[in-house]
């Protein structure tokens, strides 16, 4: 990695800095379990229902909007997430990478689709925010990272130069829209969950661990 050409670093949260195993468990296991208990239905039936509801808002801001899901499912979704916070964990290499970037004195910003309530729970649990300069959520800019507008508006907020900016994200659709906006240095994190094997990108440089960038 040629760090001399990088002036700003943008990092995704879920799957990139944090282990996505928590989120997969939350949406596929924990939430269906709570929904099933509240509605008196089987967990399988509840999961089927929820997965189809998730799919119906894929790519939209509702997708990560905890308040939307509280209304939709008639459950206190932020409270359920907060009760499970013990499962939230950074990847084993994340802290080391953030310290590495601090030593290089580069501005480091979090760019996330997460809802502000999710962000608050995750930063309180992990303490990673002390290593970050700014944090921009999809709710600050009004759309998810798969939209070019996310990058247009986050550039206006953060003031980065796309030509000298590095983005690391586990979501290829976010890299594609960042690419279209002109963000020059794009890296895909292929190992997003400790519970799943790495899934490399076919379009972008893929790394399993930040160690590949720390040289
Ligand atoms: Mg992610």
């Amino acid at each position: 990695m040629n760090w001399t050409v990088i002036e700003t670093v943008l990092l995704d949260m879920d799957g990139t800095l944090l282990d996505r195993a928590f989120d997969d468990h939350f949406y596929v296991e924990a939430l269906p379990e709570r929904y099933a208990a509240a509605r008196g239905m089987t967990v399988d039936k509840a999961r089927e229902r929820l997965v189809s509801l998730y799919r119906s808002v894929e790519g939209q801001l509702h997708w990560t909007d905890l308040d939307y899901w509280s209304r939709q499912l008639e459950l206190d979704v932020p409270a359920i997430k907060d009760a499970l916070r013990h499962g939230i964990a950074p990847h084993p290499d994340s802290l080391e990478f953030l310290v590495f970037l601090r030593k290089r004195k580069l501005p480091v910003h979090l760019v996330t689709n997460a809802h502000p309530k999710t962000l608050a729970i995750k930063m309180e649990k992990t303490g990673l925010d002390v290593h970050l300069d700014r944090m921009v959520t999809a709710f600050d800019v009004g759309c998810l990272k798969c939209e070019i507008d996310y990058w247009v508006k986050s550039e206006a907020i953060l003031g980065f130069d796309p030509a000298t900016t590095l983005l690391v994200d586990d979501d290829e659709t976010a890299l594609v829209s960042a690419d279209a906006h002109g963000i020059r240095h794009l890296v895909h994190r292929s190992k997003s969950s400790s519970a799943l094997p790495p899934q490399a990108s076919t379009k972008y440089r893929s790394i399993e661990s930040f160690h590949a960038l720390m040289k």
Side-chain angles (χ1 to χ4, degrees):
M1 184 79 203
N2 181 6
W3 284 103
T4 60
V5 298
I6 306 296
E7 290 175 359
T8 306
V9 179
L10 305 178
L11 298 172
D12 167 52
M13 181 168 70
D14 298 326
T16 303
L17 285 174
L18 304 188
D19 189 342
R20 220 191 65 202
F22 171 80
D23 308 287
D24 292 341
H25 177 265
F26 181 77
Y27 287 104
V28 181
E29 307 293 338
L31 215 45
E33 277 167 21
R34 306 294 172 110
Y35 189 77
R39 298 291 171 105
M41 57 168 71
T42 67
V43 176
D44 281 344
K45 193 96 188 142
R47 185 181 297 111
E48 200 179 300
R49 172 101 212 273
L50 264 57
V51 167
S52 96
L53 288 173
Y54 301 154
R55 289 219 179 100
S56 70
V57 293
E58 215 168 59
Q60 300 171 30
L61 208 48
H62 282 332
W63 189 51
T64 59
D65 184 344
L66 293 198
D67 295 329
Y68 169 82
W69 289 112
S70 291
R71 292 192 300 272
Q72 199 71 11
L73 307 178
E74 295 174 357
L75 291 171
D76 188 345
V77 178
I80 297 170
K81 192 166 267 202
D82 196 43
L84 297 167
R85 62 163 62 206
H86 56 271
I88 298 168
H91 286 303
D93 53 339
S94 294
L95 183 59
E96 197 183 339
F97 184 54
L98 290 169
V99 170
F100 170 88
L101 295 174
R102 266 289 170 263
K103 282 190 186 144
R104 301 200 76 94
K105 304 206 184 321
L106 288 164
V108 181
H109 307 300
L110 191 80
V111 286
T112 177
N113 283 338
H115 188 267
K117 288 179 182 173
T118 304
L119 179 65
I121 293 167
K122 290 185 171 179
M123 288 303 143
E124 206 182 309
K125 171 66 170 60
T126 63
L128 290 186
D129 51 341
V130 303
H131 304 280
L132 299 162
D133 291 290
R134 306 275 300 271
M135 301 188 279
V136 176
T137 77
F139 296 82
D140 296 318
V141 300
C143 63
L144 298 179
K145 286 187 286 180
C146 54
E147 308 278 348
I148 294 177
D149 215 34
Y150 180 96
W151 305 106
V152 174
K153 289 184 176 149
S154 62
E155 185 187 327
I157 293 170
L158 300 169
F160 58 80
D161 174 0
T164 57
T165 294
L166 165 69
L167 167 66
V168 187
D169 206 303
D170 68 312
D171 177 1
E172 199 176 72
T173 67
L175 294 169
V176 167
S177 65
D179 197 357
H181 179 60
I183 294 179
R184 177 95 177 266
H185 306 276
L186 300 164
V187 172
H188 175 255
R189 172 143 192 155
S190 63
K191 179 76 178 162
S192 59
S193 165
S194 59
L196 296 169
Q199 281 189 297
S201 166
T202 53
K203 294 196 180 92
Y204 300 100
R205 178 185 176 191
S206 277
I207 55 162
E208 280 187 36
S209 141
F210 289 123
H211 288 114
L213 302 180
M214 285 190 264
K215 26 181 141 155

